[in-house]
Amino acid sequence: MTHRSGRHFLQIPGPTNVPDRVLRAIDHPTIDHRGPNFAELGLACLCGMRQVFGTEQHVVIFPSSGSGAWEAALVNTLKPGDKVLMAETGHFATLWKEMATQLGLAVEFVPGDWRHGADINAIAARLEADRDGRIAALAIVHNETSTGCLSQVQAVRQTLDAAGHHALLLVDAISSLACVACRHDEWGVDVTVSCSQKGLMLPPGLGFNAISAKALGRAEEGGFQRSYWDWRPMLANNANGYFPYTPATNMLYGLREALDMLFEEGLPNVFARHSRHGEATRRAVRGWGLEVLCRNPEEYSPSLTAVLMPQGHDADALRKTILERFDMSLGTGLGRLAGKIFRIGHLGHYNDLTLAGALSGVQMGLGLQGLKPGDGLGAALDYLATANA
Ligand code: PLP
């Protein structure tokens, strides 16, 4: 293997780069999770996460990936055979739909072209048509990580309200939390799902649910047969800062530090930073003469940009060249987008020069692939130099 000096550039849309401060925080002896010192850590993490989710209601933390938090949202609030409306925004929405189907839920999947957020008009039509109120939940992916399209959660909420529909609103905020405003209470979301390895700047390993009173009511009345994912023992133990089973203690050290970093920067500034880096990246893409996958400017993702390769060019060949020559990992095309796109993550622990480095690597890679790119990097740098940080 060729020797690599310097740091690897991890520019995928999650897992993201873990700040040194967070790594140092994780690097401490594990303590007794039933001992007196643990409760302070548990309560600090739960309290900080409530702030990040924009909720005064409950948040639970599972030792899990995001998929575990998806499953927890479904099995606590629904029961086998319940009808769920989901929106096809891309690969992750499709995976969540497959999980729901496997669990025994009756899923209606509102079609999408993987270049837009959730189709609000089509959702509205389904809700209007559901006269006998059979739809128990509506589930959407806020930021579709496979396409770089952001769905309008508030508009979805308004659609539910306009239809006077009782369905729960479940939102996957896995790659939007701590990158874009996610306002669980204000937007009337019933379960917001997230995990550690994206905007929270942690390694993979923690899954989250923010839970409304209505969702908790459904969980208390029924839900699936469940054990590990059951919110009830979790909430009972969390009240004093503890967990019903062994928590990911060292990840919680990291979470407490990451939350401190987010609050020191200020969440509005964190969101502005992501949005600015998104705009700089899109300027670079256009400067190269390439196309941003997301078709609707109002749905551009501040967390990542998916870039369409010109016909006849394989995005994975470009990624391979960039990895071998410049030691940078870019996101691959997932599902039906395999080989057609590459994704640039600009979320988490990130600054102007991280982005400049990433864009330089892409521009050089495009050149090596014979694509003769324009000076997209220059366009991005001009923007970064002038647009307020
Ligand atoms: N939802 C979205 C939007 C994601 O981006 C991902 C992973 O990247 C997932 C769900 C699944 O999360 P995990 O791979 O941690 O299970």
Side-chain angles (χ1 to χ4, degrees):
M1 209 176 122
T2 326
H3 173 74
R4 306 253 180 229
S5 66
R7 280 207 177 194
H8 174 69
F9 255 61
L10 182 68
Q11 303 305 140
I12 61 175
T16 61
N17 294 290
V18 180
D20 290 351
R21 255 178 83 173
V22 172
L23 289 172
R24 296 294 84 83
I26 292 172
D27 179 14
H28 277 89
T30 304
I31 55 170
D32 174 8
H33 60 285
R34 305 201 196 279
N37 296 336
F38 184 86
E40 202 183 314
L41 171 67
L43 289 173
C45 289
L46 291 164
C47 172
M49 284 310 295
R50 276 199 283 277
Q51 214 174 316
V52 173
F53 277 110
T55 186
E56 292 183 356
Q57 305 179 78
H58 293 293
V59 170
V60 294
I61 307 177
F62 293 106
S64 79
S65 79
S67 302
W70 263 351
E71 183 159 336
L74 298 175
V75 300
N76 279 282
T77 57
L78 299 164
K79 57 184 185 321
D82 273 355
K83 185 162 179 191
V84 183
L85 194 60
M86 298 179 111
E88 182 190 11
T89 45
H91 183 69
F92 290 105
T94 305
L95 289 180
W96 201 12
K97 178 210 68 168
E98 283 167 7
M99 172 188 277
T101 307
Q102 258 174 3
L103 286 168
L105 294 163
V107 183
E108 183 175 353
F109 207 30
V110 177
D113 66 357
W114 294 39
R115 297 194 70 173
H116 291 87
D119 184 340
I120 309 284
N121 293 332
I123 290 172
R126 298 297 195 290
L127 292 173
E128 286 294 340
D130 186 37
R131 300 258 175 252
D132 51 357
R134 282 199 56 236
I135 300 172
L138 165 56
I140 60 159
V141 174
H142 185 202
N143 187 69
E144 178 53 76
T145 323
S146 63
T147 65
C149 298
L150 195 68
S151 287
Q152 307 302 320
V153 178
Q154 279 165 291
V156 174
R157 175 76 260 166
Q158 282 157 10
T159 306
L160 275 164
D161 293 345
H165 206 289
H166 67 109
L168 292 171
L169 176 57
L170 314 181
V171 174
D172 169 337
I174 282 182
S175 58
S176 55
L177 192 77
C179 306
V180 186
C182 294
R183 303 199 170 97
H184 181 82
D185 289 357
E186 190 185 318
W187 293 353
V189 180
D190 291 299
V191 187
T192 308
V193 174
S194 200
C195 61
S196 52
Q197 72 269 23
K198 312 270 182 178
L200 291 173
M201 311 177 286
L202 289 158
L206 297 178
F208 306 94
N209 285 170
I211 306 163
S212 74
K214 182 171 158 188
L216 188 55
R218 297 272 177 95
E220 279 163 353
E221 282 161 21
F224 278 70
Q225 292 288 334
R226 59 197 188 276
S227 170
Y228 187 81
W229 303 118
D230 199 337
W231 290 338
R232 292 165 296 182
M234 192 58 109
L235 290 172
N237 282 266
N238 284 176
N240 299 318
Y242 293 98
F243 288 70
Y245 41 73
T246 313
T249 308
N250 292 56
M251 287 291 289
L252 297 177
Y253 295 154
L255 176 60
R256 183 170 52 184
E257 192 69 23
L259 288 166
D260 281 352
M261 289 179 70
L262 289 170
F263 299 144
E264 281 163 23
E265 184 174 355
L267 287 177
N269 299 325
V270 172
F271 304 149
R273 168 165 60 78
H274 281 80
S275 137
R276 188 166 163 277
H277 287 153
E279 175 60 26
T281 306
R282 294 187 295 275
R283 287 180 188 228
V285 173
R286 293 188 200 105
W288 293 324
L290 299 179
E291 196 183 337
V292 172
L293 181 71
C294 179
R295 282 196 196 272
N296 179 358
E298 290 184 2
E299 297 175 333
Y300 284 149
S301 166
S303 309
L304 76 136
T305 302
V307 185
L308 264 174
M309 287 295 276
Q311 283 284 337
H313 289 272
D314 178 6
D316 287 335
L318 170 72
R319 290 177 50 258
K320 183 167 184 284
T321 300
I322 290 172
L323 179 61
E324 286 172 3
R325 287 293 298 271
F326 308 116
D327 198 20
M328 174 163 74
S329 295
L330 295 170
T332 186
L334 294 166
R336 70 155 90 142
L337 295 170
K340 299 192 175 112
I341 63 155
F342 63 93
R343 296 171 300 145
I344 305 171
H346 32 77
L347 70 167
H349 186 52
Y350 219 90
N351 63 26
D352 286 6
L353 293 188
T354 325
L355 182 63
L359 298 176
S360 322
V362 176
Q363 186 158 315
M364 289 188 285
L366 290 167
L368 289 170
Q369 290 294 108
L371 276 152
K372 299 194 173 56
D375 185 16
L377 173 64
L381 296 185
D382 285 347
Y383 173 76
L384 290 174
T386 52
N388 279 344

